[in-house]
Amino acid sequence: MNLSMLAGPIVGAIIGYFTNSIAVHMLFRPLHAIKIGNFTLPFTPGLIPKGQSRLAKAIGTTVGEQLLTEDVLIENLLSDDMKNKVSEGVREFVEDQSTNTDSLHEVLCQYMASEKIDEKKDDIDNMIVDTIEKYLKVMNLGNVVSDEVLKAVNQYIKGTFLAMMVNDDILRPIANKIEEKVNEYVENDGMLFIASAIDKETDILLHQPIAVYGEKALEEKETIQKIVISSYEAFVRNKMQQFLQQINISKIVEDKINEMDVAELEKLVLSIMKKELNAVINLGAVIGFVIGIINVFI
């Protein structure tokens, strides 16, 4: 086989290589349409930039309706591996809080102004005080106290000479007066005392190191992990469909691809298919070489 016989296959390989190379590059290039006046040159822009919106919609639909479906997400989110990661995260968080020297107030100050925290604290204090006052009125503390006083007096004088002289008719006006005074105290000074006590306790809660509560949580670490895992499973099973409807994965993927610059889109596609596209180019050279050899022997 002399050089003239190899020329055909070599030329065929070169032609096949460059033909496929041009075809592959035309998938992406030119990135934008080339215009001469009002006339747009054919095959500009490249096929992928020109069909970016269709590509985005197709990928979005595939991801949202076939890849990241509700069943797939639930299966993966509730896998043993994922639940172990959640449990481990809870354990690490609880352990970190057991040595956290920051106060709850300091942590909250990272997210809102100190004045806002004090305002929310006052709202919580008032809510607790109002709730206590409501239940004290429902239980009629004055009546409870007066009845208990009557029982105690009757029990004390039972079997004595005094029992012959003192009866409920004599004691009831005294009990009624006690009930009136107790209810009056609860409504005025009593609620002020309760409000002051709650204010002090919430101050302590806000300014104590988190470690004080973290150490107690650490003792119940396993229970906390079980509660969190149970809540996590319930959320995934009961709320995943609603969650997916809210975020609309297909639309998010489609919008993100449409927002990409065509150069970024080219880089994305090449990062996935560069090896395969190079194989297509090389295949053109092989086919051209084979055709050249066939022509030699025809």
Side-chain angles (χ1 to χ4, degrees):
M1 182 178 294
N2 56 36
L3 185 59
S4 62
M5 295 178 65
L6 290 175
I10 292 173
V11 171
I14 293 173
I15 293 173
Y17 179 88
F18 281 102
T19 300
N20 280 19
S21 179
I22 292 171
V24 167
H25 281 84
M26 284 181 66
L27 292 172
F28 309 99
R29 301 301 174 120
L31 298 177
H32 305 283
I34 299 175
K35 289 183 175 290
I36 300 176
N38 294 326
F39 177 72
T40 301
L41 287 180
F43 306 109
T44 65
L47 296 178
I48 289 180
K50 189 174 184 178
Q52 183 171 354
S53 60
R54 290 184 290 107
L55 177 65
K57 186 173 183 62
I59 294 176
T61 301
T62 301
V63 172
E65 298 181 5
Q66 299 183 34
L67 299 181
L68 295 182
T69 63
E70 179 183 349
D71 291 339
V72 170
L73 286 172
I74 289 177
E75 181 181 353
N76 283 271
L77 290 173
L78 294 183
S79 66
D80 291 339
D81 183 55
M82 182 59 72
K83 287 191 286 188
N84 288 337
K85 288 180 180 178
V86 173
S87 181
E88 182 65 17
V90 172
R91 182 191 65 77
E92 291 178 357
F93 176 79
V94 171
E95 289 180 352
D96 288 343
Q97 301 318 304
S98 67
T99 57
N100 191 344
T101 57
D102 292 336
S103 68
L104 183 58
H105 187 273
E106 290 172 328
V107 173
L108 291 175
C109 280
Q110 299 174 14
Y111 305 98
M112 64 178 72
S114 179
E115 295 79 8
K116 194 70 174 178
I117 297 173
D118 292 338
E119 180 184 326
K120 293 296 182 183
K121 170 187 168 296
D122 290 340
D123 290 342
I124 294 172
D125 288 349
N126 292 334
M127 182 185 68
I128 296 173
V129 171
D130 290 343
T131 302
I132 292 174
E133 184 177 13
K134 172 186 173 183
Y135 282 101
L136 285 176
K137 287 180 178 179
V138 170
M139 71 180 292
N140 194 349
L141 184 61
N143 181 258
V144 173
V145 172
S146 64
D147 284 348
E148 291 300 319
V149 168
L150 277 179
K151 290 179 183 178
V153 171
N154 285 325
Q155 185 67 27
Y156 180 76
I157 66 176
K158 184 178 180 179
T160 66
F161 177 75
L162 192 60
M164 298 173 57
M165 302 174 59
V166 178
N167 54 38
D168 283 348
D169 292 335
I170 294 175
L171 292 176
R172 177 49 61 184
I174 299 174
N176 290 341
K177 197 64 177 177
I178 292 173
E179 178 180 347
E180 178 185 337
K181 289 297 181 180
V182 169
N183 286 336
E184 183 180 330
Y185 176 81
V186 168
E187 188 172 349
N188 298 304
D189 297 338
M191 294 314 302
L192 289 175
F193 174 80
I194 291 173
S196 176
I198 290 174
D199 182 65
K200 289 179 181 178
E201 289 300 318
T202 51
D203 270 339
I204 293 173
L205 174 67
L206 278 173
H207 293 92
Q208 268 190 335
I210 292 176
V212 173
Y213 310 102
E215 290 174 356
K216 296 177 182 178
L218 189 59
E219 296 174 359
E220 302 295 332
K221 177 178 60 179
E222 294 183 2
T223 301
I224 294 174
Q225 285 176 298
K226 290 178 181 178
I227 293 173
V228 172
I229 289 297
S230 177
S231 301
Y232 171 73
E233 289 181 344
F235 172 80
V236 172
R237 293 188 187 281
N238 301 328
K239 299 295 183 179
M240 181 54 65
Q241 183 177 9
Q242 180 181 349
F243 180 71
L244 290 177
Q245 289 174 349
Q246 292 293 326
I247 63 173
N248 193 346
I249 293 176
S250 298
K251 189 68 168 60
I252 292 174
V253 173
E254 181 181 346
D255 290 344
K256 286 298 180 183
I257 294 176
N258 278 324
E259 291 171 6
M260 292 177 68
D261 183 76
V262 286
E264 292 179 328
L265 182 60
E266 177 186 15
K267 184 177 179 181
L268 172 64
V269 175
L270 286 177
S271 68
I272 300 172
M273 301 186 61
K274 186 174 182 179
K275 184 177 179 180
E276 288 74 11
L277 292 175
N278 285 334
V280 170
I281 294 174
N282 293 331
L283 181 61
V286 172
I287 293 174
F289 187 80
V290 171
I291 292 174
I293 291 177
I294 293 173
N295 286 333
V296 169
F297 294 99
I298 290 178

